[in-house]
Every structure is written in structure tokens, then in C-alpha cells.
Amino acid sequence: MMTHKGTQTLKTERLILRRFAVDDAADMFYNWANDERVTRFLTWEPHGSIELTKEILKTWCAAYQEKNCYNWVIELEGRAIGGISVVLLNEKHESAELGYCMGYDNWGKGIMTEAVKAVRDYLFGEIGVHRIVIHHALKNPASGRVAQKCGFTLEGIEKEVFKSKTGEFWDMAQYAMIRKAWDGVKLVE
């Protein structure tokens, strides 16, 4: 059974994962939300204005009133550089799906792996989820490497399940971890 605690602040060696604030709009817009390189494999278009980013942040901040809202800004050295959230929560099956993105300037530095591990540990250890899933477009193998480095197992490939913004259908990989496997991963980390 899950015990919802909402988006709590999580700290890692380099990062602070915390709730978004409307004041994060400039960092969010300029560091990742308006960058086609970041949004290429995501479901949303790059933000056309900082005003749009502010409106989205207002909605996200209002959602924090719900105990089952899990949406963190990734902060590095006092700057918001990306986000990680539970994009799908299934109460009946006690499962969560993670989604994440980060500004291009911070790609390839192990930052997202660090953030995913922190959220993974929080969801299994504090919330009590049974299973966590990560999907990524096969055209975005870096996202799959994050899942692998965090101990997730490739469960399969879904053929042409994601329609890109250009109208092309992409294959998606599905990675997952169950709590029992997490117990084992935590012993070796």
C-alpha cells in the first residue's frame, strides 16, 4: 500500500530536488523549456515565451496541494536545470511512471542518473510503490542509459507507439524496476 507524502525536498551529492516555484520560470525557459534539442522526444512543444512557462508553473504549483503529486525541479548550484516527475500513477497496481528532462548544457554529466536514483529511492522507500516504469524513444538512447545506470531492466520494445511532433511513429523502450529488485540494488550501491 502506498502512503502519499507529495513532493518532498530530496538532496543528493550535487543536487537539490524540490518543488517548482513560479520564480523558476526564467531558469526553466532559458535552460530547457524553449530548447528543441530537449523537447524533441517529449510530448510537448518548446515554450514560445516565458509567459507560457509562468502559466504552466502556476498550474504545477497549485497541484502540490494534492498528496499524490510528485514533480521536482532539479537544482544544481542554485539554478533550475531540469525536471523529473511521476507522469502516471496507478493506485490500484501501486506503480509510477517517471518522466524527466534537463537542459542541454548539463547532458552527459551523470546529473539525471543522480536525480532518478533519488526519486526511485523516495518512491520505493517512502511512498511504498511496488513498481516504477520509464519509457523512452529508441531514437533517444541516452534516456535508456539513465534507466540502465539506475538499475532498471529493459522489459521490451513497443513498436510505433509514440507519434512524434513531426507525425512519425516511433518505437518506445520500456524499462521497469520492482521493489524487490530495488532492495537488491540498494545493497550494492
Side-chain angles (χ1 to χ4, degrees):
M1 175 181 255
M2 294 189 292
T3 305
H4 291 297
K5 299 179 181 180
T7 305
Q8 301 295 317
T9 300
L10 309 175
K11 294 181 181 178
T12 70
E13 185 178 326
R14 298 180 288 177
L15 309 172
I16 297 173
L17 306 181
R18 59 167 175 79
R19 291 179 174 199
F20 278 94
V22 176
D23 290 347
D24 293 318
D27 278 352
M28 182 175 171
F29 180 77
Y30 292 109
N31 291 338
W32 76 91
N34 76 338
D35 190 337
E36 172 60 35
R37 294 171 297 185
V38 175
T39 65
R40 180 175 177 212
F41 301 107
L42 303 178
T43 58
W44 47 275
E45 295 287 339
H47 295 184
S49 69
I50 197 167
E51 288 74 25
L52 174 61
T53 304
K54 285 179 185 175
E55 290 306 310
I56 289 168
L57 286 174
K58 287 177 187 175
T59 302
W60 288 0
C61 291
Y64 288 131
Q65 294 177 26
E66 302 299 323
K67 286 282 192 192
N68 64 352
C69 174
Y70 301 99
N71 187 13
W72 292 268
V73 64
I74 301 168
E75 183 181 301
L76 174 69
E77 298 171 351
R79 292 180 56 231
I81 62 163
I84 182 169
S85 63
V86 171
V87 295
L88 186 62
L89 187 65
N90 186 312
E91 297 283 345
K92 179 179 178 184
H93 300 294
E94 299 177 12
S95 67
E97 181 175 341
L98 294 182
Y100 43 80
C101 64
M102 183 174 58
Y104 180 79
D105 291 346
N106 289 293
W107 288 6
K109 298 177 181 176
I111 292 169
M112 191 56 74
T113 298
E114 195 172 320
V116 170
K117 284 181 178 181
V119 171
R120 173 202 70 188
D121 293 351
Y122 177 70
L123 293 174
F124 280 130
E126 297 293 323
I127 306 308
V129 300
H130 175 72
R131 174 180 165 86
I132 302 174
V133 175
I134 295 172
H135 285 97
H136 77 87
L138 288 185
K139 291 186 176 224
N140 183 14
S143 189
R145 285 192 295 277
V146 168
Q148 292 166 2
K149 290 176 187 176
C150 294
F152 287 73
T153 302
L154 177 64
E155 292 188 327
I157 307 298
E158 298 173 289
K159 302 305 260 175
E160 297 189 8
V161 70
F162 182 86
K163 188 174 182 180
S164 74
K165 292 175 260 187
T166 62
E168 181 183 2
F169 285 94
W170 290 344
D171 296 346
M172 298 289 283
Q174 178 172 301
Y175 285 83
M177 179 182 285
I178 60 173
R179 187 180 313 135
K180 192 177 353 177
W182 172 71
D183 290 337
V185 167
K186 288 305 292 172
L187 291 175
V188 296
E189 283 187 339

Short mmCIF file of all heavy atoms in Angstrom, two decimals, residues 58-100:
data_model
loop_
_atom_site.label_atom_id
_atom_site.label_comp_id
_atom_site.label_asym_id
_atom_site.label_seq_id
_atom_site.Cartn_x
_atom_site.Cartn_y
_atom_site.Cartn_z
N LYS A 58 2.44 27.95 -12.62
CA LYS A 58 1.32 28.25 -11.71
C LYS A 58 0.42 27.03 -11.54
O LYS A 58 -0.01 26.70 -10.43
CB LYS A 58 0.49 29.44 -12.24
CG LYS A 58 1.17 30.77 -12.08
CD LYS A 58 0.34 31.89 -12.69
CE LYS A 58 1.10 33.20 -12.68
NZ LYS A 58 0.33 34.27 -13.38
N THR A 59 0.15 26.34 -12.65
CA THR A 59 -0.66 25.12 -12.60
C THR A 59 0.03 24.04 -11.79
O THR A 59 -0.59 23.38 -10.95
CB THR A 59 -0.95 24.62 -14.03
OG1 THR A 59 -1.61 25.66 -14.75
CG2 THR A 59 -1.81 23.37 -14.02
N TRP A 60 1.32 23.85 -12.05
CA TRP A 60 2.08 22.82 -11.32
C TRP A 60 2.12 23.13 -9.83
O TRP A 60 1.97 22.23 -9.01
CB TRP A 60 3.49 22.73 -11.86
CG TRP A 60 3.61 22.10 -13.21
CD1 TRP A 60 2.60 21.60 -14.00
CD2 TRP A 60 4.80 21.91 -13.95
NE1 TRP A 60 3.11 21.12 -15.17
CE2 TRP A 60 4.46 21.30 -15.18
CE3 TRP A 60 6.14 22.21 -13.71
CZ2 TRP A 60 5.40 20.97 -16.14
CZ3 TRP A 60 7.09 21.88 -14.68
CH2 TRP A 60 6.71 21.26 -15.87
N CYS A 61 2.34 24.38 -9.49
CA CYS A 61 2.41 24.76 -8.07
C CYS A 61 1.07 24.53 -7.37
O CYS A 61 1.04 24.08 -6.22
CB CYS A 61 2.87 26.21 -7.92
SG CYS A 61 4.60 26.45 -8.39
N ALA A 62 -0.03 24.80 -8.04
CA ALA A 62 -1.35 24.55 -7.46
C ALA A 62 -1.56 23.05 -7.22
O ALA A 62 -2.21 22.65 -6.25
CB ALA A 62 -2.44 25.11 -8.36
N ALA A 63 -0.99 22.21 -8.08
CA ALA A 63 -1.15 20.76 -7.96
C ALA A 63 -0.46 20.19 -6.73
O ALA A 63 -0.79 19.09 -6.27
CB ALA A 63 -0.64 20.06 -9.21
N TYR A 64 0.49 20.92 -6.16
CA TYR A 64 1.19 20.43 -4.97
C TYR A 64 0.26 20.27 -3.77
O TYR A 64 0.62 19.63 -2.79
CB TYR A 64 2.36 21.34 -4.60
CG TYR A 64 3.53 21.25 -5.55
CD1 TYR A 64 4.11 22.40 -6.09
CD2 TYR A 64 4.09 20.02 -5.90
CE1 TYR A 64 5.19 22.33 -6.95
CE2 TYR A 64 5.16 19.94 -6.77
CZ TYR A 64 5.71 21.10 -7.29
OH TYR A 64 6.79 21.02 -8.13
N GLN A 65 -0.94 20.83 -3.83
CA GLN A 65 -1.90 20.64 -2.74
C GLN A 65 -2.33 19.17 -2.63
O GLN A 65 -2.78 18.74 -1.57
CB GLN A 65 -3.13 21.53 -2.97
CG GLN A 65 -2.81 23.00 -2.88
CD GLN A 65 -4.02 23.86 -3.20
OE1 GLN A 65 -5.16 23.45 -3.02
NE2 GLN A 65 -3.78 25.07 -3.64
N GLU A 66 -2.20 18.44 -3.73
CA GLU A 66 -2.56 17.02 -3.73
C GLU A 66 -1.37 16.20 -3.22
O GLU A 66 -0.25 16.38 -3.67
CB GLU A 66 -2.92 16.56 -5.15
CG GLU A 66 -4.05 17.33 -5.78
CD GLU A 66 -5.34 17.22 -4.99
OE1 GLU A 66 -5.63 16.13 -4.46
OE2 GLU A 66 -6.08 18.22 -4.90
N LYS A 67 -1.64 15.30 -2.29
CA LYS A 67 -0.58 14.48 -1.70
C LYS A 67 0.03 13.49 -2.69
O LYS A 67 1.11 12.97 -2.46
CB LYS A 67 -1.11 13.71 -0.49
CG LYS A 67 -1.33 14.57 0.72
CD LYS A 67 -0.01 14.83 1.39
CE LYS A 67 -0.25 15.44 2.76
NZ LYS A 67 0.96 15.96 3.31
N ASN A 68 -0.65 13.21 -3.80
CA ASN A 68 -0.12 12.26 -4.77
C ASN A 68 0.51 12.95 -5.98
O ASN A 68 0.63 12.37 -7.04
CB ASN A 68 -1.20 11.27 -5.22
CG ASN A 68 -2.34 11.94 -5.97
OD1 ASN A 68 -2.42 13.16 -6.04
ND2 ASN A 68 -3.22 11.13 -6.52
N CYS A 69 0.94 14.20 -5.80
CA CYS A 69 1.65 14.95 -6.83
C CYS A 69 3.15 14.84 -6.57
O CYS A 69 3.62 15.16 -5.48
CB CYS A 69 1.23 16.42 -6.81
SG CYS A 69 2.17 17.45 -7.94
N TYR A 70 3.87 14.36 -7.58
CA TYR A 70 5.33 14.18 -7.46
C TYR A 70 5.99 14.85 -8.67
O TYR A 70 6.03 14.27 -9.76
CB TYR A 70 5.68 12.69 -7.39
CG TYR A 70 5.02 12.01 -6.21
CD1 TYR A 70 3.85 11.27 -6.36
CD2 TYR A 70 5.55 12.16 -4.93
CE1 TYR A 70 3.24 10.68 -5.26
CE2 TYR A 70 4.94 11.57 -3.84
CZ TYR A 70 3.78 10.84 -4.01
OH TYR A 70 3.17 10.27 -2.92
N ASN A 71 6.47 16.07 -8.47
CA ASN A 71 7.02 16.86 -9.56
C ASN A 71 8.14 17.74 -9.02
O ASN A 71 7.87 18.70 -8.30
CB ASN A 71 5.90 17.71 -10.19
CG ASN A 71 6.35 18.45 -11.43
OD1 ASN A 71 7.40 18.18 -11.99
ND2 ASN A 71 5.53 19.39 -11.86
N TRP A 72 9.37 17.39 -9.35
CA TRP A 72 10.53 18.08 -8.81
C TRP A 72 11.26 18.89 -9.87
O TRP A 72 11.43 18.45 -11.00
CB TRP A 72 11.55 17.07 -8.28
CG TRP A 72 11.15 16.31 -7.07
CD1 TRP A 72 11.38 16.65 -5.76
CD2 TRP A 72 10.48 15.04 -7.02
NE1 TRP A 72 10.89 15.68 -4.92
CE2 TRP A 72 10.32 14.68 -5.67
CE3 TRP A 72 9.98 14.19 -8.01
CZ2 TRP A 72 9.71 13.51 -5.27
CZ3 TRP A 72 9.35 13.01 -7.61
CH2 TRP A 72 9.23 12.68 -6.25
N VAL A 73 11.75 20.04 -9.46
CA VAL A 73 12.73 20.77 -10.25
C VAL A 73 14.10 20.22 -9.81
O VAL A 73 14.30 19.90 -8.64
CB VAL A 73 12.64 22.29 -10.03
CG1 VAL A 73 12.97 22.71 -8.61
CG2 VAL A 73 13.55 23.03 -11.01
N ILE A 74 15.00 20.10 -10.76
CA ILE A 74 16.37 19.68 -10.47
C ILE A 74 17.21 20.94 -10.37
O ILE A 74 17.34 21.68 -11.34
CB ILE A 74 16.92 18.75 -11.58
CG1 ILE A 74 16.03 17.51 -11.73
CG2 ILE A 74 18.37 18.36 -11.29
CD1 ILE A 74 16.32 16.69 -12.97
N GLU A 75 17.75 21.15 -9.19
CA GLU A 75 18.55 22.36 -8.95
C GLU A 75 20.01 21.98 -8.76
O GLU A 75 20.34 21.08 -7.99
CB GLU A 75 18.03 23.06 -7.69
CG GLU A 75 18.72 24.36 -7.38
CD GLU A 75 18.18 25.00 -6.12
OE1 GLU A 75 16.97 25.29 -6.07
OE2 GLU A 75 18.98 25.22 -5.19
N LEU A 76 20.88 22.66 -9.50
CA LEU A 76 22.32 22.47 -9.41
C LEU A 76 22.96 23.83 -9.19
O LEU A 76 22.74 24.76 -10.00
CB LEU A 76 22.86 21.82 -10.70
CG LEU A 76 24.38 21.68 -10.82
CD1 LEU A 76 24.89 20.66 -9.81
CD2 LEU A 76 24.77 21.28 -12.24
N GLU A 77 23.70 23.96 -8.12
CA GLU A 77 24.41 25.21 -7.81
C GLU A 77 23.48 26.42 -7.86
O GLU A 77 23.81 27.46 -8.43
CB GLU A 77 25.60 25.38 -8.76
CG GLU A 77 26.62 24.28 -8.60
CD GLU A 77 27.71 24.30 -9.66
OE1 GLU A 77 27.61 25.08 -10.64
OE2 GLU A 77 28.67 23.52 -9.50
N GLY A 78 22.27 26.26 -7.31
CA GLY A 78 21.32 27.35 -7.19
C GLY A 78 20.51 27.66 -8.44
O GLY A 78 19.74 28.61 -8.45
N ARG A 79 20.69 26.87 -9.50
CA ARG A 79 19.96 27.09 -10.75
C ARG A 79 19.07 25.91 -11.06
O ARG A 79 19.47 24.76 -10.90
CB ARG A 79 20.94 27.28 -11.92
CG ARG A 79 21.74 28.55 -11.82
CD ARG A 79 22.70 28.72 -13.01
NE ARG A 79 22.01 28.65 -14.28
CZ ARG A 79 22.39 27.85 -15.28
NH1 ARG A 79 23.42 27.06 -15.17
NH2 ARG A 79 21.72 27.85 -16.42
N ALA A 80 17.86 26.18 -11.55
CA ALA A 80 16.97 25.13 -12.02
C ALA A 80 17.45 24.70 -13.39
O ALA A 80 17.55 25.51 -14.31
CB ALA A 80 15.53 25.65 -12.10
N ILE A 81 17.78 23.39 -13.53
CA ILE A 81 18.36 22.91 -14.79
C ILE A 81 17.51 21.84 -15.47
O ILE A 81 17.82 21.41 -16.57
CB ILE A 81 19.79 22.37 -14.58
CG1 ILE A 81 19.79 21.17 -13.62
CG2 ILE A 81 20.72 23.48 -14.11
CD1 ILE A 81 21.04 20.33 -13.65
N GLY A 82 16.44 21.38 -14.80
CA GLY A 82 15.60 20.34 -15.39
C GLY A 82 14.48 19.95 -14.45
O GLY A 82 14.29 20.57 -13.40
N GLY A 83 13.77 18.91 -14.84
CA GLY A 83 12.67 18.44 -14.02
C GLY A 83 12.52 16.93 -14.10
O GLY A 83 12.93 16.30 -15.08
N ILE A 84 11.95 16.37 -13.07
CA ILE A 84 11.65 14.94 -13.01
C ILE A 84 10.33 14.79 -12.28
O ILE A 84 10.11 15.45 -11.25
CB ILE A 84 12.78 14.13 -12.35
CG1 ILE A 84 12.46 12.63 -12.34
CG2 ILE A 84 13.10 14.65 -10.96
CD1 ILE A 84 13.64 11.75 -11.94
N SER A 85 9.44 13.95 -12.81
CA SER A 85 8.13 13.83 -12.19
C SER A 85 7.55 12.44 -12.41
O SER A 85 7.99 11.70 -13.29
CB SER A 85 7.17 14.88 -12.77
OG SER A 85 6.98 14.66 -14.14
N VAL A 86 6.54 12.15 -11.61
CA VAL A 86 5.71 10.98 -11.85
C VAL A 86 4.66 11.43 -12.85
O VAL A 86 3.82 12.26 -12.54
CB VAL A 86 5.07 10.45 -10.55
CG1 VAL A 86 4.05 9.36 -10.85
CG2 VAL A 86 6.15 9.94 -9.60
N VAL A 87 4.74 10.90 -14.06
CA VAL A 87 3.82 11.31 -15.12
C VAL A 87 2.57 10.44 -15.16
O VAL A 87 1.56 10.82 -15.74
CB VAL A 87 4.50 11.33 -16.50
CG1 VAL A 87 5.61 12.38 -16.53
CG2 VAL A 87 5.05 9.96 -16.88
N LEU A 88 2.64 9.29 -14.53
CA LEU A 88 1.49 8.39 -14.46
C LEU A 88 1.58 7.62 -13.15
O LEU A 88 2.60 7.02 -12.85
CB LEU A 88 1.50 7.42 -15.65
CG LEU A 88 0.29 6.51 -15.81
CD1 LEU A 88 -0.99 7.32 -16.02
CD2 LEU A 88 0.51 5.56 -16.98
N LEU A 89 0.51 7.68 -12.38
CA LEU A 89 0.46 6.99 -11.09
C LEU A 89 -0.75 6.07 -11.11
O LEU A 89 -1.87 6.52 -11.37
CB LEU A 89 0.33 8.01 -9.96
CG LEU A 89 0.42 7.50 -8.54
CD1 LEU A 89 1.79 6.93 -8.23
CD2 LEU A 89 0.12 8.65 -7.56
N ASN A 90 -0.53 4.78 -10.86
CA ASN A 90 -1.61 3.81 -10.85
C ASN A 90 -1.79 3.33 -9.41
O ASN A 90 -0.97 2.54 -8.90
CB ASN A 90 -1.30 2.64 -11.78
CG ASN A 90 -2.46 1.69 -11.92
OD1 ASN A 90 -3.07 1.27 -10.93
ND2 ASN A 90 -2.78 1.33 -13.15
N GLU A 91 -2.82 3.82 -8.76
CA GLU A 91 -3.07 3.49 -7.35
C GLU A 91 -3.35 2.00 -7.16
O GLU A 91 -2.82 1.38 -6.25
CB GLU A 91 -4.26 4.30 -6.82
CG GLU A 91 -4.06 5.79 -6.82
CD GLU A 91 -3.18 6.29 -5.70
OE1 GLU A 91 -2.93 5.55 -4.73
OE2 GLU A 91 -2.74 7.45 -5.79
N LYS A 92 -4.18 1.43 -8.02
CA LYS A 92 -4.58 0.04 -7.88
C LYS A 92 -3.38 -0.90 -7.94
O LYS A 92 -3.26 -1.83 -7.15
CB LYS A 92 -5.58 -0.34 -8.98
CG LYS A 92 -6.02 -1.78 -8.92
CD LYS A 92 -7.02 -2.12 -10.01
CE LYS A 92 -7.40 -3.59 -9.94
NZ LYS A 92 -8.30 -3.96 -11.03
N HIS A 93 -2.46 -0.62 -8.89
CA HIS A 93 -1.32 -1.51 -9.08
C HIS A 93 -0.05 -0.98 -8.40
O HIS A 93 1.02 -1.58 -8.56
CB HIS A 93 -1.08 -1.74 -10.57
CG HIS A 93 -2.26 -2.37 -11.24
ND1 HIS A 93 -2.69 -3.66 -10.95
CD2 HIS A 93 -3.12 -1.90 -12.16
CE1 HIS A 93 -3.75 -3.94 -11.68
NE2 HIS A 93 -4.05 -2.88 -12.42
N GLU A 94 -0.20 0.11 -7.67
CA GLU A 94 0.90 0.70 -6.89
C GLU A 94 2.14 0.91 -7.74
O GLU A 94 3.26 0.55 -7.38
CB GLU A 94 1.21 -0.16 -5.66
CG GLU A 94 0.03 -0.29 -4.72
CD GLU A 94 0.26 -1.18 -3.52
OE1 GLU A 94 1.42 -1.55 -3.26
OE2 GLU A 94 -0.72 -1.49 -2.84
N SER A 95 1.92 1.53 -8.91
CA SER A 95 3.03 1.77 -9.83
C SER A 95 3.09 3.24 -10.23
O SER A 95 2.10 3.96 -10.17
CB SER A 95 2.90 0.88 -11.07
OG SER A 95 1.78 1.26 -11.84
N ALA A 96 4.30 3.63 -10.63
CA ALA A 96 4.54 5.01 -11.05
C ALA A 96 5.40 4.99 -12.30
O ALA A 96 6.31 4.17 -12.42
CB ALA A 96 5.25 5.77 -9.94
N GLU A 97 5.12 5.92 -13.21
CA GLU A 97 5.97 6.09 -14.38
C GLU A 97 6.67 7.43 -14.26
O GLU A 97 6.05 8.45 -13.96
CB GLU A 97 5.15 6.06 -15.67
CG GLU A 97 6.03 6.22 -16.90
CD GLU A 97 5.28 6.06 -18.20
OE1 GLU A 97 4.17 5.49 -18.22
OE2 GLU A 97 5.82 6.53 -19.24
N LEU A 98 7.97 7.42 -14.49
CA LEU A 98 8.78 8.64 -14.40
C LEU A 98 8.97 9.27 -15.77
O LEU A 98 9.11 8.58 -16.78
CB LEU A 98 10.16 8.34 -13.82
CG LEU A 98 10.23 7.86 -12.39
CD1 LEU A 98 11.68 7.66 -11.98
CD2 LEU A 98 9.55 8.84 -11.45
N GLY A 99 9.02 10.60 -15.77
CA GLY A 99 9.41 11.37 -16.93
C GLY A 99 10.42 12.40 -16.49
O GLY A 99 10.36 12.88 -15.35
N TYR A 100 11.36 12.73 -17.36
CA TYR A 100 12.39 13.68 -16.97
C TYR A 100 12.96 14.38 -18.19
O TYR A 100 12.92 13.85 -19.31
CB TYR A 100 13.51 13.01 -16.18
CG TYR A 100 13.99 11.67 -16.72
CD1 TYR A 100 14.89 11.59 -17.78
CD2 TYR A 100 13.55 10.48 -16.15
CE1 TYR A 100 15.32 10.37 -18.25
CE2 TYR A 100 13.99 9.25 -16.61
CZ TYR A 100 14.88 9.21 -17.68
OH TYR A 100 15.32 7.99 -18.15
#
